[in-house]
Amino acid sequence: MTSKDRGILYPARLPDFHRLPAPEPVAELVRWFWIPEWDIAPGRTSRQHLMSFPTSNLVVQTNLVMLSGPTTRASYRDLSGRGWAVGALLRPAAMPTFTAAPVDLRDTVAPFEAPDLHEAVVEAMTIVDRDERHAAAVEVFSTWFAKNALSVTDQGRQANELAELLDGDAEVRTLDDAAARMHVAPRTLHRLATRYVGLSPAEMIRRRRLQEAAERVRTEPGVSLAEIATELGYADHGHLTREFRERLGFTPSGYRAEIDES
């Protein structure tokens, strides 16, 4: 089970944020829908830091629809004023609908032409009751997928299986581990990840481990960094620190100190 805050580096700074399960008809295409809403005081901004899941997102906002590709590093967004977003965390099997080469989308955000989707979600988000508008937004988003997405192939389902395994099983620490679990050759999994995700299996494993490390550093102040490093399969505390510095831009000890002060 994925923590509701996993991938979010500073949950206490979040606006109103919800993850909603994908309805069954689109469950092979969307892992979940996510909806933040914010109302920031005039003249102020709220910076949201993320270590995103290793996949792409289709996002509707008040003024556009955008496709956000898989990232290779932490990212942030500055929120201001009043607004919302409705995003779909895409499963690998959904990617052929959007591109034949997800690798070309890495670290990019680009407008996506879907005026019917935009209109339907904007209308849903005008509903006064929060739960009702969220449910309506997910429903119309799901209806759009059901109408426009390409059919899921057996290879797409295998790519979904790979993503679930790499993201959900802490015992899978290498490509060979994953290949053994799925009873296929490592090169097969590498091709699947390239075609359907845009990141290598090794990078997907690295992302899960770093998300878990950040969450534990943040939520378990009594556990030493060396213990966390060992339990998550890092060679040592120094390896964990290098990963943090390279991917997040700060050290685990600096991150923990900042959390303690906030």
Side-chain angles (χ1 to χ4, degrees):
M1 185 64 127
T2 302
S3 161
K4 68 181 181 65
D5 292 331
R6 194 173 127 200
I8 300 168
L9 296 177
Y10 299 94
R13 301 178 187 175
L14 273 179
D16 188 44
F17 180 83
H18 298 269
R19 286 175 178 162
L20 297 92
E24 186 59 35
V26 298
E28 289 188 313
L29 301 169
V30 178
R31 185 170 177 185
W32 61 63
F33 292 93
W34 49 270
I35 305 179
E37 297 182 83
W38 61 91
D39 190 356
I40 310 298
R44 302 192 66 180
T45 61
S46 175
R47 176 162 290 187
Q48 307 301 317
H49 293 262
L50 301 171
M51 188 61 182
S52 300
F53 286 83
T55 186
S56 297
N57 288 265
L58 185 63
V59 187
V60 179
Q61 295 182 274
T62 54
N63 59 341
L64 83 164
V65 181
M66 61 185 185
L67 182 63
S68 176
T71 61
T72 61
R73 55 187 178 270
S75 60
Y76 68 84
R77 182 183 174 196
D78 290 328
L79 303 180
S80 61
R82 186 174 184 179
W84 52 263
V86 180
L89 187 77
L90 301 178
R91 291 191 184 276
M95 290 312 296
T97 296
F98 303 99
T99 179
V103 67
D104 293 340
L105 299 177
R106 284 195 300 188
D107 297 315
T108 68
V109 178
F112 182 79
E113 289 297 321
D116 52 342
L117 173 62
H118 183 259
E119 180 180 358
V121 172
V122 168
E123 181 177 355
M125 291 299 288
T126 64
I127 297 173
V128 174
D129 181 81
R130 185 193 68 186
D131 292 342
E132 289 183 11
R133 69 174 172 268
H134 287 183
V138 167
E139 181 179 0
V140 297
F141 215 139
S142 299
T143 298
W144 182 88
F145 270 106
K147 179 181 177 181
N148 293 279
L150 298 177
S151 297
V152 176
T153 64
D154 288 342
Q155 191 175 64
R157 292 187 179 93
Q158 189 177 34
N160 283 355
E161 181 185 356
L162 171 64
E164 290 174 6
L165 178 66
L166 299 187
D167 185 67
D169 192 335
E171 297 302 313
V172 175
R173 296 181 175 178
T174 68
L175 176 58
D176 287 341
D177 290 341
R181 291 289 184 90
M182 294 182 65
H183 307 290
V184 297
R187 63 180 179 275
T188 298
L189 298 189
H190 198 279
R191 285 198 299 266
L192 277 175
T194 299
R195 180 174 179 181
Y196 286 92
V197 179
L199 299 171
S200 70
E203 174 60 30
M204 295 168 71
I205 293 170
R206 194 178 184 187
R207 183 69 51 83
R208 179 203 71 216
R209 189 167 61 173
L210 189 56
Q211 285 182 334
E212 292 177 346
E215 185 169 45
R216 292 195 61 187
V217 169
R218 184 180 70 249
T219 62
E220 300 179 15
V223 179
S224 73
L225 299 178
E227 287 179 83
I228 292 173
T230 298
E231 291 172 12
L232 292 180
Y234 290 96
D236 52 30
H237 180 192
H239 183 198
L240 174 63
T241 296
R242 288 192 298 275
E243 284 281 282
F244 260 68
R245 186 180 289 114
E246 178 182 340
R247 295 306 177 102
L248 303 182
F250 45 74
T251 65
S253 57
Y255 179 52
R256 177 171 276 176
E258 187 177 4
I259 294 295
D260 289 342
E261 292 171 1
S262 61

